[in-house]
Amino acid sequence: MTDSPKKPKKPHSVYTLVVEVGRKTGDGLPKGATGAGLMCYASGVDEAEAVRETVAILKQADMAPLDVTGYGTLEERKEQGHDIEADEIALMQKALDENAVIVAQVTPYFGDKDKG
């Protein structure tokens, strides 16, 4: 039996991410939608980890992530002048407490298929 020294846990932060998803069978998006934008709060030691975890979770949920835009932590967003509601802060805290990815909002996209 070896006594491996435990590495000190790095503190986690919660990052606000907007994930663009395409269509995939079983994705749960409405009929006729061409994709969606998902507002997510994800816990991670850094934004890169939060993005990786979010993409992995969405793939497990039969979603097709195409692009991720990061908006930073709560503190970074406040510094940028974002107006952040109490319910949004509560979801961020839940993501931190549970070391989780929270999908706070799904906005389906509907394109005009006749154009182009």
Side-chain angles (χ1 to χ4, degrees):
M1 220 159 121
T2 61
D3 290 329
S4 61
K6 288 190 174 183
K7 290 183 181 177
K9 280 189 123 182
K10 291 184 180 178
H12 280 224
S13 294
V14 174
Y15 296 87
T16 301
L17 307 172
V18 173
V19 183
E20 306 284 332
V21 297
R23 291 308 311 254
K24 185 176 177 187
T25 303
D27 62 13
L29 295 176
K31 184 177 180 178
T34 57
L38 283 61
M39 167 93 72
C40 302
Y41 304 114
S43 174
V45 295
D46 57 25
E47 192 170 70
E49 180 186 58
V51 168
R52 285 191 302 273
E53 290 296 322
T54 301
V55 168
I57 294 289
L58 293 175
K59 285 181 176 180
Q60 286 178 354
D62 286 331
M63 303 292 281
L66 301 173
D67 188 50
V68 180
T69 302
Y71 290 92
T73 63
L74 175 60
E75 295 77 22
E76 291 167 342
R77 290 183 59 204
K78 284 181 177 178
E79 287 173 10
Q80 296 169 17
H82 292 198
D83 187 24
I84 303 166
E85 302 289 328
D87 58 343
E88 192 174 354
I89 293 171
L91 288 173
M92 290 177 183
Q93 186 61 51
K94 182 175 181 173
L96 184 62
D97 292 345
E98 298 177 8
N99 189 22
V101 174
I102 306 282
V103 178
Q105 182 177 342
V106 177
T107 305
Y109 299 147
F110 295 93
D112 188 348
K113 294 177 183 171
D114 294 331
K115 290 186 178 177

